[in-house]
Coordinates of all heavy atoms in Angstrom, one line a residue:
M1 N 0.8 -1.2 0.0 CA 0.0 0.0 0.0 C 0.9 1.2 -0.1 O 0.5 2.2 -0.6 CB -0.9 -0.1 1.2 CG -2.1 0.8 1.1 SD -3.1 0.3 -0.1 CE -4.6 1.1 0.2
A2 N 2.0 1.2 0.7 CA 2.8 2.4 0.8 C 3.5 2.7 -0.6 O 3.8 3.9 -0.8 CB 4.0 2.2 1.8
G3 N 3.7 1.8 -1.4 CA 4.2 1.9 -2.8 C 3.4 2.7 -3.7 O 3.8 3.5 -4.6
T4 N 2.0 2.7 -3.5 CA 1.1 3.3 -4.4 C 1.1 4.9 -4.1 O 0.8 5.7 -4.9 CB -0.3 2.8 -4.3 OG1 -0.7 2.9 -2.9 CG2 -0.3 1.4 -4.7
Y5 N 1.4 5.2 -2.9 CA 1.4 6.7 -2.5 C 2.8 7.4 -2.7 O 2.8 8.6 -2.5 CB 1.0 6.9 -1.0 CG -0.4 6.5 -0.8 CD1 -0.8 5.4 0.0 CD2 -1.5 7.2 -1.3 CE1 -2.1 4.9 0.2 CE2 -2.9 6.8 -1.2 CZ -3.1 5.7 -0.3 OH -4.4 5.4 -0.1
S6 N 3.8 6.6 -2.9 CA 5.1 7.1 -3.0 C 5.3 8.2 -4.1 O 5.8 9.3 -3.8 CB 6.1 5.9 -3.3 OG 7.4 6.4 -3.5
P7 N 4.8 8.0 -5.3 CA 4.9 9.2 -6.3 C 4.2 10.4 -5.9 O 4.7 11.6 -6.1 CB 4.2 8.6 -7.5 CG 4.2 7.1 -7.4 CD 4.2 6.8 -6.0
I8 N 3.0 10.4 -5.2 CA 2.2 11.5 -4.8 C 3.0 12.2 -3.7 O 3.1 13.4 -3.7 CB 0.8 10.9 -4.3 CG1 0.1 10.4 -5.5 CG2 0.1 12.1 -3.7 CD1 -1.2 9.8 -5.1
I9 N 3.6 11.4 -2.8 CA 4.3 12.1 -1.7 C 5.6 12.8 -2.2 O 5.9 13.9 -1.8 CB 4.7 10.9 -0.6 CG1 3.4 10.5 0.1 CG2 5.7 11.5 0.4 CD1 3.6 9.4 1.0
M10 N 6.3 12.1 -3.1 CA 7.5 12.7 -3.7 C 7.1 14.0 -4.5 O 7.8 15.1 -4.4 CB 8.1 11.8 -4.7 CG 8.9 10.6 -3.9 SD 10.0 11.2 -2.7 CE 11.3 11.8 -3.8
T11 N 6.0 13.9 -5.3 CA 5.6 15.2 -5.9 C 5.3 16.3 -5.0 O 5.6 17.5 -5.2 CB 4.4 14.9 -6.8 OG1 4.6 13.7 -7.7 CG2 3.9 16.1 -7.7
A12 N 4.6 15.9 -3.9 CA 4.2 17.0 -2.9 C 5.5 17.5 -2.2 O 5.6 18.8 -2.0 CB 3.3 16.4 -1.8
V13 N 6.5 16.7 -2.0 CA 7.7 17.1 -1.4 C 8.5 18.1 -2.4 O 8.9 19.2 -1.9 CB 8.7 16.0 -1.0 CG1 10.1 16.5 -0.7 CG2 8.0 15.2 0.2
F14 N 8.6 17.7 -3.6 CA 9.2 18.6 -4.7 C 8.5 20.0 -4.8 O 9.1 20.9 -5.0 CB 9.3 17.9 -6.0 CG 10.4 17.0 -6.0 CD1 10.2 15.6 -6.4 CD2 11.7 17.3 -5.6 CE1 11.2 14.7 -6.4 CE2 12.9 16.4 -5.7 CZ 12.5 15.1 -6.1
L15 N 7.2 20.0 -4.8 CA 6.4 21.2 -4.8 C 6.7 22.0 -3.7 O 6.7 23.3 -3.8 CB 4.9 20.8 -4.9 CG 4.5 20.3 -6.4 CD1 3.0 19.9 -6.4 CD2 4.8 21.3 -7.5
G16 N 6.7 21.4 -2.4 CA 7.1 22.2 -1.2 C 8.4 22.8 -1.3 O 8.6 23.9 -1.0
I17 N 9.4 22.1 -1.8 CA 10.8 22.6 -1.9 C 10.8 23.6 -2.9 O 11.4 24.8 -2.7 CB 11.8 21.5 -2.3 CG1 12.0 20.5 -1.1 CG2 13.1 22.0 -2.7 CD1 12.7 19.2 -1.5
F18 N 10.2 23.5 -4.1 CA 10.1 24.5 -5.1 C 9.5 25.8 -4.6 O 9.9 26.9 -4.8 CB 9.3 24.0 -6.3 CG 9.3 24.9 -7.5 CD1 10.4 25.0 -8.3 CD2 8.2 25.7 -7.8 CE1 10.4 25.8 -9.4 CE2 8.1 26.4 -8.9 CZ 9.3 26.6 -9.7
Y19 N 8.4 25.7 -3.8 CA 7.7 26.8 -3.2 C 8.7 27.6 -2.3 O 8.8 28.9 -2.4 CB 6.4 26.4 -2.6 CG 5.7 27.7 -1.9 CD1 5.0 28.5 -2.6 CD2 5.8 27.8 -0.5 CE1 4.3 29.6 -2.0 CE2 5.2 28.8 0.1 CZ 4.5 29.8 -0.6 OH 3.9 30.8 -0.1
F20 N 9.2 26.8 -1.4 CA 10.0 27.6 -0.3 C 11.4 28.1 -0.8 O 12.0 29.0 -0.2 CB 10.2 26.8 0.9 CG 9.0 26.7 1.8 CD1 8.1 25.6 1.8 CD2 8.5 27.8 2.6 CE1 7.0 25.5 2.6 CE2 7.4 27.7 3.2 CZ 6.7 26.5 3.3
L21 N 11.9 27.5 -1.8 CA 13.3 27.9 -2.3 C 13.1 29.0 -3.5 O 14.1 29.8 -3.7 CB 14.1 26.8 -2.7 CG 14.5 25.9 -1.6 CD1 15.4 24.7 -2.3 CD2 15.3 26.6 -0.6
I22 N 12.1 29.0 -4.1 CA 12.0 29.8 -5.4 C 10.8 30.8 -5.3 O 11.0 32.0 -5.4 CB 11.9 29.1 -6.7 CG1 13.2 28.2 -6.8 CG2 11.7 29.9 -7.9 CD1 13.2 27.2 -7.9
I23 N 9.6 30.4 -5.1 CA 8.4 31.2 -5.3 C 8.3 32.2 -4.0 O 8.1 33.4 -4.3 CB 7.2 30.4 -5.4 CG1 7.2 29.6 -6.7 CG2 5.9 31.2 -5.3 CD1 6.1 28.6 -6.8
R24 N 8.5 31.7 -2.9 CA 8.3 32.6 -1.7 C 9.3 33.7 -1.6 O 9.0 34.9 -1.4 CB 8.3 31.6 -0.4 CG 7.9 32.5 0.8 CD 7.4 31.6 1.9 NE 7.0 32.2 3.0 CZ 7.7 32.2 4.2 NH1 8.8 31.4 4.3 NH2 7.3 32.9 5.2
P25 N 10.6 33.4 -1.8 CA 11.5 34.6 -1.8 C 11.3 35.6 -2.9 O 11.5 36.7 -2.7 CB 12.9 33.8 -2.0 CG 12.7 32.4 -1.5 CD 11.2 32.1 -1.8
Q26 N 10.9 35.1 -4.1 CA 10.6 36.1 -5.1 C 9.4 36.9 -4.8 O 9.4 38.1 -5.1 CB 10.4 35.3 -6.4 CG 10.0 36.2 -7.7 CD 11.3 37.1 -8.0 OE1 12.5 36.6 -7.9 NE2 11.0 38.3 -8.3
Q27 N 8.4 36.4 -4.1 CA 7.3 37.2 -3.7 C 7.6 38.2 -2.7 O 7.3 39.4 -2.7 CB 6.1 36.3 -3.1 CG 5.4 35.4 -4.1 CD 4.4 34.5 -3.6 OE1 4.6 34.1 -2.3 NE2 3.4 34.1 -4.4
K28 N 8.5 37.8 -1.8 CA 9.1 38.8 -0.8 C 9.9 40.0 -1.5 O 9.6 41.1 -1.0 CB 10.0 38.1 0.2 CG 9.3 37.3 1.2 CD 10.3 36.8 2.4 CE 9.6 36.1 3.4 NZ 10.5 35.6 4.4
R29 N 10.8 39.6 -2.4 CA 11.4 40.7 -3.1 C 10.6 41.6 -3.9 O 10.7 42.8 -3.9 CB 12.5 40.0 -4.1 CG 13.7 39.6 -3.5 CD 14.8 39.2 -4.4 NE 14.5 38.0 -5.2 CZ 14.6 36.7 -5.0 NH1 15.2 36.5 -3.8 NH2 14.3 35.8 -5.8
D30 N 9.5 41.0 -4.5 CA 8.5 41.8 -5.3 C 7.8 42.7 -4.4 O 7.6 43.9 -4.7 CB 7.5 41.0 -6.1 CG 8.1 40.2 -7.2 OD1 9.3 40.5 -7.6 OD2 7.6 39.2 -7.7
K31 N 7.4 42.3 -3.2 CA 6.7 43.1 -2.2 C 7.6 44.2 -1.7 O 7.1 45.4 -1.6 CB 6.3 42.3 -1.0 CG 5.6 43.1 0.0 CD 5.1 42.1 1.1 CE 4.4 42.9 2.1 NZ 4.0 42.1 3.3
Q32 N 8.9 44.0 -1.5 CA 9.8 45.0 -1.0 C 10.0 46.1 -2.2 O 10.1 47.3 -1.9 CB 11.2 44.4 -0.7 CG 11.2 43.7 0.6 CD 12.6 42.8 0.8 OE1 13.3 42.7 -0.2 NE2 12.7 42.5 2.1
V33 N 10.1 45.6 -3.4 CA 10.4 46.6 -4.5 C 9.0 47.4 -4.7 O 9.2 48.7 -4.9 CB 10.6 45.8 -5.8 CG1 10.5 46.7 -7.0 CG2 12.1 45.2 -5.7
K34 N 7.9 46.8 -4.6 CA 6.7 47.7 -4.7 C 6.5 48.7 -3.6 O 6.2 49.7 -3.8 CB 5.5 46.6 -4.7 CG 4.1 47.3 -4.9 CD 3.0 46.3 -5.0 CE 1.7 46.9 -5.3 NZ 0.6 45.9 -5.2
E35 N 6.9 48.2 -2.4 CA 6.9 49.2 -1.3 C 7.8 50.3 -1.4 O 7.5 51.5 -1.2 CB 7.1 48.5 0.0 CG 7.0 49.2 1.3 CD 7.3 48.3 2.5 OE1 6.8 47.3 2.6 OE2 8.0 48.9 3.4
M36 N 9.0 50.0 -1.9 CA 10.1 51.0 -2.1 C 9.6 52.1 -3.2 O 9.6 53.3 -3.0 CB 11.4 50.4 -2.6 CG 12.5 51.3 -2.9 SD 12.6 51.8 -4.7 CE 12.8 50.3 -5.5
R37 N 9.0 51.5 -4.2 CA 8.5 52.4 -5.3 C 7.3 53.3 -4.8 O 7.2 54.4 -5.3 CB 8.1 51.7 -6.6 CG 9.4 51.1 -7.3 CD 8.9 50.2 -8.5 NE 10.3 49.8 -9.1 CZ 10.3 48.7 -9.9 NH1 9.2 48.0 -10.2 NH2 11.5 48.4 -10.4
S38 N 6.5 52.7 -3.9 CA 5.3 53.5 -3.5 C 5.8 54.6 -2.5 O 5.1 55.6 -2.2 CB 4.2 52.6 -2.9 OG 4.8 52.0 -1.7
N39 N 6.9 54.4 -1.8 CA 7.4 55.3 -0.8 C 8.3 56.3 -1.4 O 9.0 57.1 -0.6 CB 8.1 54.6 0.3 CG 7.0 53.8 1.2 OD1 5.9 54.2 1.2 ND2 7.5 52.7 1.8
L40 N 8.5 56.5 -2.6 CA 9.4 57.6 -3.3 C 8.8 58.9 -2.9 O 7.7 59.1 -2.9 CB 9.4 57.4 -4.8 CG 10.1 56.1 -5.3 CD1 10.0 56.0 -6.8 CD2 11.6 56.1 -4.9
K41 N 9.8 59.8 -2.7 CA 9.4 61.3 -2.5 C 10.4 62.2 -3.1 O 11.5 61.8 -3.4 CB 9.3 61.5 -0.9 CG 10.6 61.2 -0.1 CD 10.3 61.3 1.4 CE 11.5 61.1 2.2 NZ 12.0 59.8 2.1
V42 N 10.0 63.4 -3.2 CA 10.9 64.4 -3.9 C 12.2 64.6 -3.0 O 12.1 64.6 -1.8 CB 10.1 65.8 -3.9 CG1 11.1 66.9 -4.4 CG2 9.0 65.7 -4.9
G43 N 13.3 64.6 -3.7 CA 14.6 64.7 -3.0 C 15.3 63.4 -2.9 O 16.5 63.4 -2.7
D44 N 14.7 62.2 -3.2 CA 15.3 61.0 -3.0 C 16.4 60.9 -4.3 O 16.0 61.2 -5.4 CB 14.4 59.8 -3.1 CG 13.6 59.6 -2.0 OD1 14.0 60.1 -0.9 OD2 12.7 58.8 -1.9
Q45 N 17.5 60.3 -3.9 CA 18.5 60.0 -5.0 C 18.2 58.5 -5.5 O 18.0 57.6 -4.6 CB 19.9 60.0 -4.4 CG 20.4 61.3 -4.0 CD 20.7 62.4 -5.0 OE1 20.9 62.0 -6.2 NE2 20.6 63.6 -4.7
I46 N 18.0 58.3 -6.8 CA 17.6 57.0 -7.2 C 18.5 56.6 -8.3 O 19.3 57.3 -8.9 CB 16.1 57.1 -7.9 CG1 16.1 58.0 -9.1 CG2 15.1 57.4 -6.7 CD1 14.8 57.8 -9.8
V47 N 18.5 55.3 -8.7 CA 19.1 54.7 -9.8 C 18.0 53.9 -10.5 O 17.3 53.1 -9.9 CB 20.1 53.6 -9.4 CG1 20.9 53.1 -10.7 CG2 21.2 54.3 -8.5
T48 N 17.9 54.2 -11.9 CA 16.9 53.6 -12.6 C 17.3 52.1 -13.0 O 18.5 51.8 -12.9 CB 16.5 54.3 -14.0 OG1 17.7 54.3 -14.8 CG2 16.1 55.7 -13.6
I49 N 16.4 51.3 -13.6 CA 16.7 50.0 -13.9 C 17.7 50.0 -15.1 O 18.4 49.1 -15.5 CB 15.6 49.1 -14.3 CG1 14.7 49.8 -15.3 CG2 14.8 48.8 -13.0 CD1 13.4 48.9 -15.7
G50 N 17.8 51.2 -15.8 CA 18.7 51.4 -17.0 C 20.0 51.9 -16.5 O 21.0 52.0 -17.3
G51 N 20.2 52.2 -15.2 CA 21.5 52.7 -14.8 C 21.7 54.1 -14.7 O 22.7 54.6 -14.4
I52 N 20.7 55.0 -14.8 CA 20.7 56.4 -14.8 C 20.6 56.8 -13.3 O 19.6 56.4 -12.6 CB 19.6 57.1 -15.6 CG1 19.8 56.7 -17.1 CG2 19.6 58.6 -15.4 CD1 18.6 57.1 -18.0
H53 N 21.6 57.6 -12.8 CA 21.6 58.2 -11.4 C 20.9 59.5 -11.5 O 21.2 60.3 -12.3 CB 22.9 58.3 -10.9 CG 23.6 56.9 -10.7 ND1 23.8 56.4 -9.4 CD2 24.0 56.0 -11.6 CE1 24.4 55.3 -9.5 NE2 24.6 55.0 -10.9
G54 N 19.9 59.8 -10.6 CA 19.3 61.2 -10.5 C 18.6 61.4 -9.2 O 18.6 60.6 -8.4
K55 N 18.1 62.6 -9.1 CA 17.4 63.1 -7.9 C 16.0 63.4 -8.4 O 15.7 64.1 -9.3 CB 18.1 64.4 -7.4 CG 17.4 65.0 -6.2 CD 18.2 66.2 -5.8 CE 17.5 66.9 -4.6 NZ 18.3 68.1 -4.3
I56 N 15.0 62.9 -7.6 CA 13.6 63.2 -7.9 C 13.3 64.7 -7.6 O 13.6 65.1 -6.5 CB 12.7 62.3 -7.1 CG1 13.0 60.8 -7.4 CG2 11.3 62.6 -7.4 CD1 12.2 59.8 -6.6
T57 N 12.7 65.3 -8.6 CA 12.3 66.7 -8.4 C 10.8 66.9 -8.5 O 10.3 67.9 -7.9 CB 12.9 67.6 -9.5 OG1 12.5 67.1 -10.8 CG2 14.4 67.6 -9.4
K58 N 10.1 65.9 -9.1 CA 8.6 66.1 -9.1 C 8.0 64.6 -9.3 O 8.5 63.9 -10.0 CB 8.3 66.9 -10.4 CG 6.9 67.2 -10.5 CD 6.6 68.1 -11.7 CE 5.2 68.3 -12.2 NZ 5.1 69.0 -13.4
I59 N 6.9 64.4 -8.6 CA 6.2 63.2 -8.7 C 4.7 63.4 -9.1 O 4.1 64.2 -8.5 CB 6.2 62.4 -7.3 CG1 7.6 62.1 -6.9 CG2 5.3 61.2 -7.4 CD1 7.8 61.5 -5.6
K60 N 4.4 62.8 -10.1 CA 3.0 62.9 -10.6 C 2.4 61.6 -11.0 O 2.7 61.0 -12.0 CB 2.9 63.8 -11.9 CG 1.6 64.3 -12.2 CD 1.7 65.3 -13.4 CE 0.3 65.9 -13.8 NZ 0.4 66.8 -14.9
E61 N 1.7 61.0 -10.0 CA 1.1 59.6 -10.1 C 2.3 58.6 -10.5 O 3.1 58.3 -9.7 CB -0.1 59.6 -11.1 CG -1.2 60.4 -10.6 CD -2.5 60.1 -11.3 OE1 -2.7 59.1 -12.0 OE2 -3.3 61.0 -11.4
D62 N 2.3 58.1 -11.7 CA 3.2 57.1 -12.1 C 4.3 57.6 -12.9 O 5.1 56.9 -13.5 CB 2.5 55.9 -12.9 CG 1.7 55.1 -12.0 OD1 2.0 55.0 -10.8 OD2 0.8 54.4 -12.4
V63 N 4.4 59.0 -13.0 CA 5.5 59.6 -13.8 C 6.4 60.5 -12.7 O 5.9 61.2 -12.0 CB 5.0 60.5 -14.9 CG1 6.2 61.2 -15.6 CG2 4.2 59.7 -15.8
L64 N 7.7 60.2 -12.9 CA 8.6 60.9 -12.0 C 9.5 61.8 -12.9 O 9.9 61.5 -14.0 CB 9.6 60.0 -11.2 CG 9.0 58.8 -10.4 CD1 10.0 57.9 -9.9 CD2 8.1 59.4 -9.3
T65 N 9.9 63.0 -12.4 CA 10.7 63.9 -13.1 C 12.1 63.8 -12.2 O 12.0 64.1 -11.1 CB 10.2 65.3 -13.2 OG1 9.0 65.3 -14.0 CG2 11.2 66.1 -14.0
I66 N 13.2 63.5 -12.9 CA 14.4 63.4 -12.2 C 15.4 64.3 -12.8 O 15.3 64.6 -14.0 CB 14.9 62.0 -12.2 CG1 15.3 61.4 -13.5 CG2 14.1 60.9 -11.5 CD1 16.1 60.1 -13.6
E67 N 16.3 64.8 -12.1 CA 17.5 65.7 -12.4 C 18.7 64.9 -12.5 O 19.1 64.3 -11.4 CB 17.5 66.8 -11.3 CG 18.2 68.0 -11.7 CD 18.0 69.0 -10.6 OE1 18.8 68.9 -9.6 OE2 17.2 69.9 -10.7
V68 N 19.4 64.9 -13.7 CA 20.6 64.2 -13.8 C 21.7 65.0 -14.3 O 21.5 66.0 -15.0 CB 20.4 63.0 -14.7 CG1 19.4 62.0 -14.2 CG2 20.0 63.4 -16.1
G69 N 23.0 64.7 -13.9 CA 24.2 65.3 -14.3 C 24.4 66.7 -13.8 O 23.5 67.3 -13.1
A70 N 25.6 67.3 -14.1 CA 26.0 68.6 -13.6 C 25.1 69.7 -14.2 O 24.9 70.8 -13.7 CB 27.5 68.7 -13.9
D71 N 24.6 69.5 -15.5 CA 23.8 70.6 -16.1 C 22.4 70.5 -15.7 O 21.5 71.2 -16.2 CB 23.9 70.4 -17.6 CG 23.6 69.0 -18.2 OD1 23.4 68.2 -17.4 OD2 23.6 69.0 -19.4
K72 N 22.1 69.5 -14.8 CA 20.7 69.4 -14.2 C 19.7 69.2 -15.3 O 18.6 69.7 -15.2 CB 20.4 70.5 -13.4 CG 21.4 70.8 -12.2 CD 20.8 71.6 -11.2 CE 21.8 72.0 -10.1 NZ 22.0 70.9 -9.1
L73 N 19.9 68.2 -16.1 CA 18.9 67.8 -17.2 C 17.8 67.2 -16.5 O 18.0 66.3 -15.7 CB 19.7 66.9 -18.2 CG 18.8 66.2 -19.2 CD1 18.4 67.3 -20.2 CD2 19.6 65.1 -19.9
K74 N 16.6 67.5 -17.0 CA 15.4 66.8 -16.4 C 14.9 65.8 -17.3 O 14.7 66.0 -18.4 CB 14.4 67.9 -16.1 CG 14.8 68.9 -15.1 CD 13.7 69.6 -14.5 CE 14.1 70.8 -13.6 NZ 14.5 70.5 -12.4
L75 N 14.6 64.6 -16.7 CA 14.1 63.5 -17.4 C 12.8 63.0 -16.8 O 12.7 63.0 -15.6 CB 15.1 62.3 -17.5 CG 16.4 62.4 -18.1 CD1 17.3 61.2 -17.9 CD2 16.3 62.8 -19.5
Q76 N 11.8 62.6 -17.6 CA 10.6 62.0 -17.1 C 10.7 60.5 -17.2 O 11.1 60.0 -18.3 CB 9.4 62.6 -17.8 CG 9.1 63.9 -17.4 CD 7.8 64.4 -18.0 OE1 7.3 63.9 -19.0 NE2 7.2 65.3 -17.3
I77 N 10.6 59.7 -16.1 CA 10.6 58.3 -16.2 C 9.3 57.7 -15.5 O 8.6 58.4 -14.8 CB 11.8 57.8 -15.5 CG1 11.8 58.1 -14.0 CG2 13.1 58.2 -16.2 CD1 12.8 57.4 -13.1
A78 N 9.0 56.5 -15.8 CA 7.9 55.8 -15.2 C 8.3 55.3 -13.8 O 9.5 55.1 -13.6 CB 7.5 54.6 -16.1
R79 N 7.4 55.3 -12.9 CA 7.7 54.9 -11.6 C 8.3 53.5 -11.5 O 9.2 53.2 -10.7 CB 6.5 55.0 -10.7 CG 6.7 54.8 -9.2 CD 5.4 54.7 -8.3 NE 4.9 56.1 -8.2 CZ 5.1 57.0 -7.2 NH1 5.8 56.4 -6.2 NH2 4.6 58.1 -7.2
W80 N 7.8 52.6 -12.4 CA 8.3 51.2 -12.4 C 9.7 51.1 -12.8 O 10.3 50.1 -12.6 CB 7.3 50.2 -13.2 CG 7.3 50.7 -14.7 CD1 6.3 51.4 -15.2 CD2 8.2 50.3 -15.7 NE1 6.6 51.6 -16.5 CE2 7.7 50.9 -16.9 CE3 9.4 49.7 -15.7 CZ2 8.4 50.9 -18.0 CZ3 10.1 49.6 -16.9 CH2 9.6 50.1 -18.1
A81 N 10.3 52.1 -13.4 CA 11.6 52.1 -13.8 C 12.7 52.4 -12.8 O 13.8 52.3 -13.0 CB 11.8 53.1 -15.0
V82 N 12.2 52.7 -11.6 CA 13.2 53.0 -10.4 C 13.7 51.6 -10.0 O 12.9 50.7 -9.7 CB 12.4 53.7 -9.3 CG1 13.4 53.9 -8.2 CG2 12.0 55.1 -9.8
G83 N 15.0 51.4 -10.0 CA 15.6 50.2 -9.5 C 16.0 50.2 -8.1 O 16.0 49.2 -7.4
N84 N 16.5 51.4 -7.6 CA 17.0 51.5 -6.2 C 16.9 53.0 -5.7 O 17.0 53.8 -6.6 CB 18.5 51.0 -6.3 CG 19.0 50.7 -4.9 OD1 18.4 50.6 -3.9 ND2 20.4 50.5 -4.9
V85 N 16.9 53.1 -4.4 CA 16.9 54.4 -3.8 C 18.1 54.5 -3.0 O 18.4 53.7 -2.2 CB 15.6 54.6 -2.9 CG1 15.7 56.0 -2.2 CG2 14.4 54.5 -3.8
N86 N 18.9 55.6 -3.2 CA 20.1 55.8 -2.4 C 19.9 56.9 -1.5 O 20.2 58.1 -1.9 CB 21.3 56.0 -3.4 CG 21.6 55.0 -4.3 OD1 21.4 53.8 -4.0 ND2 22.1 55.3 -5.5
K87 N 19.4 56.7 -0.3 CA 19.1 57.7 0.6 C 20.4 58.3 1.2 O 21.3 57.6 1.7 CB 18.2 57.2 1.8 CG 16.9 56.8 1.2 CD 15.8 56.9 2.3 CE 14.6 56.3 1.8 NZ 13.6 57.3 1.4
G88 N 20.6 59.6 1.1 CA 21.7 60.3 1.8 C 23.0 60.3 0.9 O 23.9 60.8 1.4
E89 N 22.9 59.8 -0.3 CA 24.1 59.7 -1.1 C 24.0 60.7 -2.3 O 22.9 60.9 -2.8 CB 24.3 58.4 -1.8 CG 24.7 57.2 -0.6 CD 24.8 55.9 -1.3 OE1 25.1 55.8 -2.6 OE2 24.7 54.9 -0.6
S90 N 25.0 61.4 -2.6 CA 25.0 62.4 -3.7 C 25.5 61.8 -4.9 O 26.5 61.0 -4.9 CB 25.9 63.6 -3.2 OG 26.0 64.5 -4.3
T91 N 24.8 62.1 -6.0 CA 25.3 61.6 -7.3 C 26.1 62.6 -8.1 O 26.6 62.3 -9.1 CB 24.1 61.2 -8.2 OG1 23.3 62.3 -8.4 CG2 23.3 60.1 -7.6
E92 N 26.3 63.8 -7.5 CA 27.1 64.9 -8.2 C 28.6 64.7 -7.9 O 29.0 64.2 -6.9 CB 26.6 66.3 -7.7 CG 25.2 66.6 -8.1 CD 24.8 68.0 -7.7 OE1 25.7 68.8 -7.2 OE2 23.6 68.2 -7.5
E93 N 29.3 65.0 -8.9 CA 30.8 64.9 -8.8 C 31.5 66.2 -8.7 O 31.2 67.1 -9.2 CB 31.3 64.1 -10.0 CG 30.9 62.6 -9.9 CD 31.5 61.8 -11.0 OE1 32.4 62.3 -11.6 OE2 30.8 60.7 -11.3

């Protein structure tokens, strides 16, 4: 009788391992990124997913205006394009 349940038990074990090693950590990272993007404010130093460093000067729903470079060029980017927030770090050289 134990031999007939063996494949079902092994499948359940592999699904459990898959969930705890891959799916759950990814969900935690996604939640952290979503929280970080929702807490953006004017003055934050950010890095976009494309590698552009800038300072947020204006926030309008899902569009951010950032200031980049020594000539203070202004770019408009989507909120989802923010990859990281560098609080307290200056990007000017």
